[in-house]
Amino acid sequence: MKIFTLSAFLLVAIVSSSFSNSITASPFGVVLKSFNATTDGKVTHVSWDFGDMEQEVTCLLERSEDGSAFSAVESFLVKQGFSGVMNFTDKKVAPGQFYYRLHVVKLGFIPFRSHVVSIRITKENDENVATEYRVVNPFREQVTINGKFKTGLLKVEVSGMDGRVRFRKTIQSIPNSESITFAAENLVKGTYIVRVSELKGDKSSLIMTKCIIKNAE
């Protein structure tokens, strides 16, 4: 199986998010030329471009609110020999950050999953929510997140774009602090998803999910 590593990720909050690259990564001949998502702040428009399909497959468009747990929002039957652009408009989204990927399956073969793209759905009076937490990007040895965090323990979890967790940390939020910082020098160059949760006893509550980019080893 031939896999090309994706080392770039374009994220434009509120307006659009897209990623275009030539990808050949499937034991049953799936060629994904591009995968893009854009938004007007109200709905998400997702489009992708397949090369010649060697076999008939089922294509699932999946959505996630945290960049880790995905569920299908629509399925498509793609016939053998098909090539060209497919698209879908996702209207069933509330204000917030959303992540999308393609999951292509065929009985008897290992599934193919695309890279992940991200967008933010807003509403006219939601500007403060969109900028409540801000990540300093790109980073080198440490990650800084600006915002007003409640005093207490915070769980920080960093995952790759494949959904695999790279590390977890527990941070004590300082009273009246408007930022948190944690070391990330062991991460290799690339794009990741950071999730921060408030810890209360044995329970945790997710408060933010952001994309972070490391630009040097």
Side-chain angles (χ1 to χ4, degrees):
M1 181 171 64
K2 191 175 182 182
I3 301 178
F4 290 86
T5 301
L6 305 179
S7 60
F9 183 89
L10 176 62
L11 171 63
V12 182
I14 301 176
V15 180
S16 68
S17 173
S18 63
F19 190 109
S20 297
N21 207 335
S22 180
I23 305 169
T24 303
S26 171
F28 49 97
V30 174
V31 178
L32 181 61
K33 295 181 178 180
S34 66
F35 180 45
N36 308 290
T38 61
T39 180
D40 58 3
K42 299 177 182 178
V43 300
T44 304
H45 303 284
V46 187
S47 65
W48 57 97
D49 187 1
F50 280 134
D52 290 337
M53 198 65 67
E54 293 182 5
Q55 303 187 53
E56 181 176 288
V57 300
T58 299
C59 177
L60 305 173
L61 176 64
E62 298 182 327
R63 182 180 66 213
S64 170
E65 294 184 12
D66 62 5
S68 178
F70 284 83
S71 59
V73 295
E74 189 62 80
S75 64
F76 308 84
L77 182 64
V78 185
K79 296 290 187 178
Q80 181 180 11
F82 172 84
S83 66
V85 176
M86 302 181 68
N87 55 74
F88 177 76
T89 298
D90 189 4
K91 299 179 180 179
K92 297 180 179 180
V93 283
Q97 191 86 18
F98 292 92
Y99 302 83
Y100 293 87
R101 73 182 182 190
L102 292 179
H103 183 183
V104 184
V105 296
K106 182 174 179 60
L107 185 64
F109 290 88
I110 299 173
F112 165 78
R113 292 185 178 89
S114 73
H115 56 274
V116 177
V117 294
S118 172
I119 58 89
R120 173 171 287 279
I121 297 295
T122 66
K123 52 187 177 182
E124 292 183 359
N125 61 353
D126 196 39
E127 294 182 0
N128 292 331
V129 174
T131 59
E132 183 178 359
Y133 297 106
R134 299 175 303 280
V135 178
V136 179
N137 269 323
F139 70 93
R140 293 175 64 88
E141 297 184 352
Q142 64 181 23
V143 176
T144 298
I145 303 174
N146 296 314
K148 294 183 179 180
F149 295 91
K150 293 181 180 180
T151 302
L153 289 177
L154 301 173
K155 181 179 72 173
V156 176
E157 186 177 73
V158 175
S159 301
M161 299 311 292
D162 58 359
R164 184 167 63 88
V165 176
R166 297 301 196 270
F167 67 81
R168 295 183 178 92
K169 294 178 181 289
T170 300
I171 298 176
Q172 177 68 52
S173 180
I174 301 174
N176 301 318
S177 174
E178 295 190 354
S179 69
I180 60 172
T181 299
F182 59 91
E185 69 275 7
N186 292 330
L187 292 176
V188 299
K189 181 179 179 181
T191 302
Y192 302 88
I193 295 171
V194 58
R195 291 180 288 275
V196 180
S197 302
E198 293 179 348
L199 294 177
K200 295 181 180 179
D202 58 352
K203 297 182 179 180
S204 64
S205 176
L206 182 67
I207 59 174
M208 62 144 285
T209 302
K210 292 288 184 181
C211 176
I212 56 176
I213 302 171
K214 186 171 186 180
N215 66 354
E217 300 290 344

